[in-house]
Amino acid sequence: MANINFRPLHDRIAVRRVESDEKSKGGIIIPDTAKEKPQEGEIVAVGSGARDESGKVVAPDVKAGDRVLFGKWSGTEVKINGEDLLIMKEADIMGIIG
């Protein structure tokens, strides 16, 4: 895992997309223009958590290294240290794989 110089704030999370297969199940090679972006990724950095109504920080349920599923339109694409990442809120994550 590459070391990034970025720490998300509050309940935001930095996710690296997991690359999808380049062939279909039937063996057809899928060109880049026809591929759907994967909705699965690996968390590379996590913020400290959001604050609840009383002002207490609620720690996130995920940690760096977790493999997660997220919504199709979740997050904002950014480039940090030459690497494409997604920055999203913890609420955009549907679950942890594993």
Side-chain angles (χ1 to χ4, degrees), residues 4 78-85:
I4 62 170
V78 297
K79 189 169 275 227
I80 300 172
N81 295 346
E83 183 175 11
D84 292 324
L85 299 175

Side-chain angles (χ1 to χ4, degrees), residues 2-66:
N3 192 10
I4 62 170
N5 297 326
F6 176 78
R7 183 177 57 89
L9 296 177
H10 310 295
D11 64 337
R12 288 185 175 78
I13 295 167
V15 177
R16 176 186 305 118
R17 283 189 197 270
V18 174
E19 294 302 317
S20 60
D21 292 335
E22 295 191 10
K23 287 187 182 180
S24 70
K25 289 181 183 177
I28 297 171
I29 296 175
I30 303 167
D32 287 341
T33 55
K35 284 185 199 173
E36 280 196 31
K37 291 187 177 178
Q39 294 171 262
E40 185 178 326
E42 180 182 0
I43 295 177
V44 294
V46 179
S48 59
R51 294 193 181 272
D52 62 12
E53 294 82 31
S54 65
K56 292 182 185 174
V57 174
V58 178
D61 290 329
V62 295
K63 62 187 179 312
D66 283 350

